[in-house]
């Protein structure tokens, strides 16, 4: 068993594009769920529109990537408005149901055979993200690797990662700026008790809408990075579990904190990849009984997701505030 | 009102010591004493006027008020037995519920589209029977939320601290003053969720005052509060009216009515069955029948 490889793989996942995408999705969700108390179970819908908006604009309409990216973000914003107007007045649980349904409807529409001409339907869509990689300052020969051992990235990956983490940093800082302001205080008051916020003269609907739009656009950014990373989009990549992974990352890191979603995303991918690599190495060990090895073979991914789920359960039991959260604050819920 | 009282009245808002100026209180209360105590009577200077206000839930008519005026600058107690429609009336007036029909005027303007936040911004602030302190915000943050027109509450201004910093500082000073008054200064930086039930009532009331409201509507401010704290709450209500704020409060216990209220409105089954000075109302036969009868007849006979 080679732990260098296991840790290398885990670290690569923790700092790679997947973690960036998850971090952005979680930062957006944190605005919805963490700061405003909106139970958005359709965060994947915003990611999907970000990814497909960009991909379709470039692949189907042949526009520049620099036009496609704003289109992706705009679609995520439009989804926030379209979802928000009818549903933000609903009870929190109703909102959760509507958002999860809306995200699924969008995915099914995008992936339907009728949509092949536009989105590629079930065949997925791919485009040339050359405009992005033309700016790549990293040498990108077949032999170029950045890092040590298995913790190494190609030049192209390095460029995505650099841009991605800079974006995560900027977005996190922006979120910090608006949440520490009186505006952010109103969001938190809505989370605590929206009738109290109303009685103090705050237009709750308007604030919820603003929060939904900002969080949705940040989710859209995750989708844009995803589209660029994979040079396309596939409807199967946007199943509801993406939202649940996002919640997992957010809860791991700590809801309603500034760094929680980022740390959570890093940790989520580190754990998931560590366990998966570990199991893969384990399955190859000669001393392992054949039956267990056969069971492990090919199901490492599923088991590792299950283990992350187990970690989340343990976390909720023993450290419900997440890694960066404040325990005292959590306990105030049990009034 | 005697003309020589007017200058002192104008200087009052700047001078907080005038809280204790009982002479001023008399000038506010005097006119109401001349009003004939009967349901729906017109008052000299009403801040709130209701007409034909009606709200029913299924077959139950919770509120059915032909005409009711709430006088400005005094403390009005709203009493009535359980299910009399007191809280429903509050919810209607503050926009938390919709009336089936009827209209009301606040501060001389007809309320056309009652939304809670708009009414609050116009100066009608309420508290709740079940206290709504914002648990995961500090006591100070709770207070700052009550401040009106903070430009930093607009998204475009939020990221730029220099735009709202000065306003925040002024609001903080005001908040500290109020916290001091309400004996909450030592809890300033604690989470509101750590406060006791009574302290939350105090916080909610103090928070409502951050906006310098014209009318404060308190839903059972004394419910579930120990007697000592209830006394201090009563003191705060009196001080409020001294500083020129109109107060309406819902109360259950008749003993808490006479001490501080200048006027009492009695609701039963959604209707105004009596109103008048506290002393008058307590001895009104209709009120005793509808509300106090069950409790007092036993001791009287």
């Amino acid at each position: 068993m080679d732990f260098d490889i296991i840790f290398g793989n885990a670290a690569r996942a923790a700092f790679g594009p997947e973690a960036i995408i998850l971090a952005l999705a979680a930062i957006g969700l944190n605005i919805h769920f963490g700061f405003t108390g909106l139970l958005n179970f359709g965060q994947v819908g915003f990611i999907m529109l970000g990814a497909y908006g960009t991909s379709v604009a470039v692949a189907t309409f042949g526009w520049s990537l620099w036009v496609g990216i704003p289109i992706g973000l705009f679609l995520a914003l439009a989804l926030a408005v379209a979802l928000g107007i009818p549903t933000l007045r609903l009870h929190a649980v109703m909102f959760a149901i509507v958002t999860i349904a809306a995200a699924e409807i969008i995915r099914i529409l995008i992936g339907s055979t009728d949509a092949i001409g536009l989105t590629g339907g079930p065949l997925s869509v791919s485009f040339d993200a050359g405009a992005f990689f033309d700016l790549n300052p990293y040498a990108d020969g077949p032999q170029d690797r950045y890092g040590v051992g298995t913790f190494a990235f190609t030049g192209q990956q390095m460029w995505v990662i650099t841009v991605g983490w800079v974006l995560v940093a900027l977005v996190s800082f922006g979120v910090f700026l608006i949440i520490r302001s009186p505006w952010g205080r109103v969001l938190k008051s809505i989370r605590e008790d929206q009738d109290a916020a109303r009685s103090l003269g705050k237009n709750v609907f308007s604030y919820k809408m603003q929060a939904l739009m900002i969080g949705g656009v940040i989710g859209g950014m995750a989708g844009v990075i995803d589209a660029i990373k994979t040079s396309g989009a596939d409807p199967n990549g946007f199943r509801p579990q993406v939202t649940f992974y996002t919640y997992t990352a957010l809860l791991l890191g700590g809801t309603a904190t500034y760094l929680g979603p980022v740390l959570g995303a890093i940790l989520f991918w580190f754990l998931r990849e560590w366990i998966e690599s570990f199991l893969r190495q384990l399955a190859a060990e000669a001393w392992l009984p054949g039956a267990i090895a056969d069971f492990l073979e090919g199901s490492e991914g599923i088991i590792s997701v299950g283990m992350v789920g187990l970690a989340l359960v343990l976390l909720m039991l023993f450290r419900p505030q997440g890694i960066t959260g404040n325990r005292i604050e959590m306990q105030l819920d049990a009034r | 009102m005697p003309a020589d009282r007017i200058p002192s009245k104008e200087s009052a808002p700047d001078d907080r010591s005038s809280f204790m100026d009982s002479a001023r209180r008399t000038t506010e209360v005097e006119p109401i004493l001349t009003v004939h105590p009967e349901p729906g009577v017109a008052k000299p200077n009403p801040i709130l006027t209701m007409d034909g206000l009606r709200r029913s839930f299924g077959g139950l008519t919770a509120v059915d008020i032909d005409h009711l005026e709430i006088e400005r600058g005094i403390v009005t107690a709203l009493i009535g037995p359980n299910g009399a429609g007191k809280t429903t009336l509050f919810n209607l007036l503050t926009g938390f519920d919709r009336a089936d029909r009827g209209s009301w005027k606040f501060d001389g303007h007809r309320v056309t589209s009652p939304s809670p936040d708009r009414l609050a911004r116009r100066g009608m602030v309420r508290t709740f029977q079940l206290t709504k302190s914002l648990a995961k915000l500090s006591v100070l943050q709770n207070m700052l939320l009550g401040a009106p027109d903070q430009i930093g509450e607009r998204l475009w201004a939020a990221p730029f601290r220099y735009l709202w910093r000065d306003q925040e500082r002024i609001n903080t000073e005001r908040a500290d003053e109020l916290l001091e008054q309400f004996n909450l200064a030592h809890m300033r930086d604690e989470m509101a969720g750590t406060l006791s039930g009574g302290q939350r009532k105090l916080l909610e009331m103090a928070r409502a005052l951050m906006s310098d409201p014209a009318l404060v509507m308190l839903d059972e401010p004394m419910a579930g509060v120990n007697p000592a704290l209830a006394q201090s709450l009563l003191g705060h209500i009196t001080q409020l009216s001294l500083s020129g704020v109109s107060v309406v409060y819902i109360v259950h216990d008749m003993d808490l009515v006479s001490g501080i209220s200048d006027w009492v409105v009695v609701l039963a089954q959604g209707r105004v069955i009596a109103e008048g000075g506290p002393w008058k109302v307590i001895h009104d036969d209709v009120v005793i029948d509808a509300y106090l009868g069950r409790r007092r007849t036993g001791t009287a006979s």
Side-chain angles (χ1 to χ4, degrees), chain A residues 174 177-178 180-186 188-204 207 210 214 326 328-330 332-333 335, chain B residues 96 116-117 120-121 124-126 128 132-137 141-142 144-147 150 152-155 158-159 161 164 168 191 193-194 200 207-208:
Chain A
L177 283 183
I178 55 174
R180 67 144 186 197
S181 75
W183 183 84
R185 189 167 59 211
V186 176
K188 292 181 200 166
S189 78
I190 292 169
R191 175 191 71 197
E192 296 300 305
D193 191 323
Q194 55 180 23
D195 279 345
R198 278 198 187 98
S199 77
L200 295 171
K202 317 301 177 205
N203 186 338
V204 168
Y207 281 98
Q210 292 167 26
I214 293 172
N326 176 341
I328 311 284
E329 220 172 286
M330 280 299 292
L332 293 178
D333 273 342
R335 270 168 282 180
Chain B
F96 282 87
D117 47 296
R121 287 197 294 272
M124 187 202 289
V125 182
R126 75 169 296 182
F128 294 86
K132 293 190 186 296
S133 57
L134 304 161
K136 285 193 215 169
L137 293 172
Q141 298 279 303
N142 261 271
L144 293 175
L145 268 167
Q150 165 58 278
E153 287 181 0
R154 293 178 198 178
L155 183 54
R161 187 148 174 260
W164 44 263
E168 191 83 339
M191 293 280 168
T194 64
R200 286 182 204 184
R207 191 177 64 193

Side-chain angles (χ1 to χ4, degrees), chain B residues 159-207:
Chain B
F160 311 109
R161 187 148 174 260
Y162 65 91
L163 289 177
W164 44 263
R165 197 174 40 202
D166 292 342
Q167 219 179 338
E168 191 83 339
R169 200 184 53 241
I170 293 164
N171 291 343
T172 306
E173 282 168 15
R174 170 94 176 109
D176 281 332
E177 246 171 61
L178 281 166
L179 288 175
E180 196 69 49
Q181 266 180 48
F182 282 76
N183 297 322
L184 286 170
H186 60 294
M187 300 299 281
R188 181 183 193 263
D189 299 314
E190 303 292 326
M191 293 280 168
T194 64
L195 297 181
S196 73
Q199 284 175 322
R200 286 182 204 184
K201 292 251 177 212
L202 288 171
L203 173 60
E204 209 186 16
M205 204 188 286
R207 191 177 64 193

Side-chain angles (χ1 to χ4, degrees), chain B residues 48-272:
Chain B
L48 203 55
T49 313
M50 300 153 235
D51 272 301
L53 206 54
R54 195 182 157 94
R55 174 77 168 110
S56 48
F57 301 101
L60 177 83
T61 304
V63 168
D64 186 6
I65 290 173
D66 294 333
H67 186 83
L68 178 63
E69 295 182 4
I70 303 288
E71 174 70 0
R72 188 188 303 270
I74 65 164
V75 179
T76 305
L78 188 60
I79 67 168
N82 284 323
K86 304 180 297 275
T87 297
T88 308
L89 178 60
F90 257 41
N91 287 343
L92 291 181
L93 293 175
T94 53
F96 282 87
D97 193 4
R98 293 274 157 140
D100 299 333
R101 62 174 129 97
S103 66
W104 69 101
K105 283 202 291 191
F106 171 60
D107 222 357
H109 299 280
R110 196 177 153 172
V111 178
T112 42
S113 55
S115 89
D117 47 296
R118 209 172 302 158
L119 283 165
R121 287 197 294 272
R122 276 176 51 185
M124 187 202 289
V125 182
R126 75 169 296 182
T127 67
F128 294 86
Q129 192 170 355
L130 296 169
T131 322
K132 293 190 186 296
S133 57
L134 304 161
K136 285 193 215 169
L137 293 172
S138 75
V139 167
L140 179 64
Q141 298 279 303
N142 261 271
M143 294 294 289
L144 293 175
L145 268 167
D149 306 325
Q150 165 58 278
I151 197 156
E153 287 181 0
R154 293 178 198 178
L155 183 54
W156 62 265
F160 311 109
R161 187 148 174 260
Y162 65 91
L163 289 177
W164 44 263
R165 197 174 40 202
D166 292 342
Q167 219 179 338
E168 191 83 339
R169 200 184 53 241
I170 293 164
N171 291 343
T172 306
E173 282 168 15
R174 170 94 176 109
D176 281 332
E177 246 171 61
L178 281 166
L179 288 175
E180 196 69 49
Q181 266 180 48
F182 282 76
N183 297 322
L184 286 170
H186 60 294
M187 300 299 281
R188 181 183 193 263
D189 299 314
E190 303 292 326
M191 293 280 168
T194 64
L195 297 181
S196 73
Q199 284 175 322
R200 286 182 204 184
K201 292 251 177 212
L202 288 171
L203 173 60
E204 209 186 16
M205 204 188 286
R207 191 177 64 193
L209 297 186
M210 280 297 288
S211 62
D212 286 317
L215 173 64
V216 177
M217 318 240 318
L218 308 168
D219 194 349
E220 301 237 14
M222 259 76 73
V225 171
N226 73 54
L229 195 55
Q231 279 309 314
S232 118
L233 280 166
L234 290 177
H236 289 302
I237 293 175
T238 312
Q239 283 197 354
L240 268 183
S241 91
L242 291 179
S243 60
V245 180
S246 315
V247 181
V248 181
Y249 74 107
I250 292 178
V251 69
H252 240 75
D253 191 343
M254 202 64 189
D255 299 332
L256 294 172
V257 170
S258 43
I260 60 156
S261 37
D262 305 306
W263 194 258
V264 180
V265 174
V266 188
L267 281 185
Q269 289 164 344
R271 308 188 70 91
V272 180

Side-chain angles (χ1 to χ4, degrees), chain A residues 276-316:
Chain A
E276 195 173 333
S277 291
F278 176 79
L279 292 173
R280 198 175 292 123
Q281 296 258 334
L282 191 68
E285 292 288 316
W287 50 265
L288 204 70
I292 295 180
D294 285 347
F295 169 70
L296 288 179
E297 191 79 56
S299 47
E300 296 96 344
I302 295 164
I303 297 174
S304 79
V305 172
M307 296 296 251
V308 172
L310 184 67
L312 185 68
V313 171
L314 293 174
L315 186 85
M316 289 294 103

Side-chain angles (χ1 to χ4, degrees), chain B residues 20-43:
Chain B
M20 297 304 163
D21 179 3
S22 60
R24 188 160 163 265
R25 183 167 167 74
T26 347
T27 64
E28 297 284 354
V29 177
E30 259 168 12
I32 196 76
L33 295 177
T34 66
V35 172
H36 182 65
E38 63 178 14
V41 68
K43 304 197 176 60

Side-chain angles (χ1 to χ4, degrees), chain A residues 21-333:
Chain A
I21 293 162
L22 188 61
L24 284 169
I27 293 170
L29 186 63
N30 195 27
I31 292 182
H32 297 157
F33 173 71
F35 293 117
T36 321
L38 290 172
L39 267 177
N40 171 17
F41 272 99
Q43 183 68 348
V44 67
F46 297 101
I47 306 173
M48 183 166 24
L49 285 182
Y52 265 97
T54 309
S55 304
V56 168
V58 181
T60 310
F61 295 100
W63 295 333
S64 150
L65 181 64
W66 308 117
V67 178
I69 291 172
I71 288 178
L73 297 180
F74 175 79
L75 286 180
L77 192 73
L79 174 64
V81 176
L83 265 183
I85 287 173
T87 58
L88 278 177
R89 292 177 207 275
L90 296 179
H91 190 264
V93 178
M94 306 293 176
F95 182 74
I97 295 168
V98 171
T99 47
I100 196 170
E104 271 294 86
I105 290 169
I106 295 169
R107 184 182 68 83
I108 290 164
L109 285 178
I110 284 177
S112 73
T113 46
D114 291 330
I116 286 180
L118 185 66
T119 65
L123 307 172
S124 81
V125 59
S126 60
F127 65 94
D128 176 17
F132 177 77
F133 290 108
D134 284 349
L135 303 173
N136 185 357
Y138 296 98
D140 188 32
Q143 299 304 318
D144 288 315
R145 285 292 179 277
Y146 301 84
V148 284
T150 46
F151 178 42
F153 299 100
T154 67
Q156 282 211 348
Q157 287 172 329
M158 276 306 282
W159 180 224
V160 173
I161 289 168
T162 309
V163 171
W165 284 117
V166 168
L167 185 63
V168 168
L170 288 177
V171 169
S172 295
F173 183 64
V175 169
F176 164 75
L177 283 183
I178 55 174
I179 294 297
R180 67 144 186 197
S181 75
W183 183 84
R185 189 167 59 211
V186 176
L187 286 197
K188 292 181 200 166
S189 78
I190 292 169
R191 175 191 71 197
E192 296 300 305
D193 191 323
Q194 55 180 23
D195 279 345
R198 278 198 187 98
S199 77
L200 295 171
K202 317 301 177 205
N203 186 338
V204 168
F205 177 79
S206 159
Y207 281 98
K208 279 182 173 176
M209 182 61 101
Q210 292 167 26
L212 191 65
M213 287 164 77
I214 293 172
V217 167
I218 297 174
M221 290 178 191
V224 169
I225 300 278
D226 189 37
I228 289 172
K229 183 206 85 177
T230 53
S231 295
D234 184 295
N236 286 317
F238 302 105
R239 293 182 174 275
Q241 55 259 45
V242 177
T243 302
F244 303 143
Y245 294 155
T246 310
Y247 265 101
T248 308
L250 183 56
L251 294 170
L252 273 174
T255 41
T257 61
Y258 298 116
L259 289 177
V262 180
L263 292 177
I266 291 173
L267 195 70
F268 176 91
W269 274 105
F270 186 88
L271 280 177
R272 198 178 142 174
E273 193 55 37
W274 195 96
I275 296 166
E276 195 173 333
S277 291
F278 176 79
L279 292 173
R280 198 175 292 123
Q281 296 258 334
L282 191 68
E285 292 288 316
W287 50 265
L288 204 70
I292 295 180
D294 285 347
F295 169 70
L296 288 179
E297 191 79 56
S299 47
E300 296 96 344
I302 295 164
I303 297 174
S304 79
V305 172
M307 296 296 251
V308 172
L310 184 67
L312 185 68
V313 171
L314 293 174
L315 186 85
M316 289 294 103
L317 283 174
F318 297 107
R319 202 180 158 82
Q321 68 273 37
I323 294 165
T324 58
N326 176 341
R327 177 149 201 136
I328 311 284
E329 220 172 286
M330 280 299 292
Q331 285 165 339
L332 293 178
D333 273 342

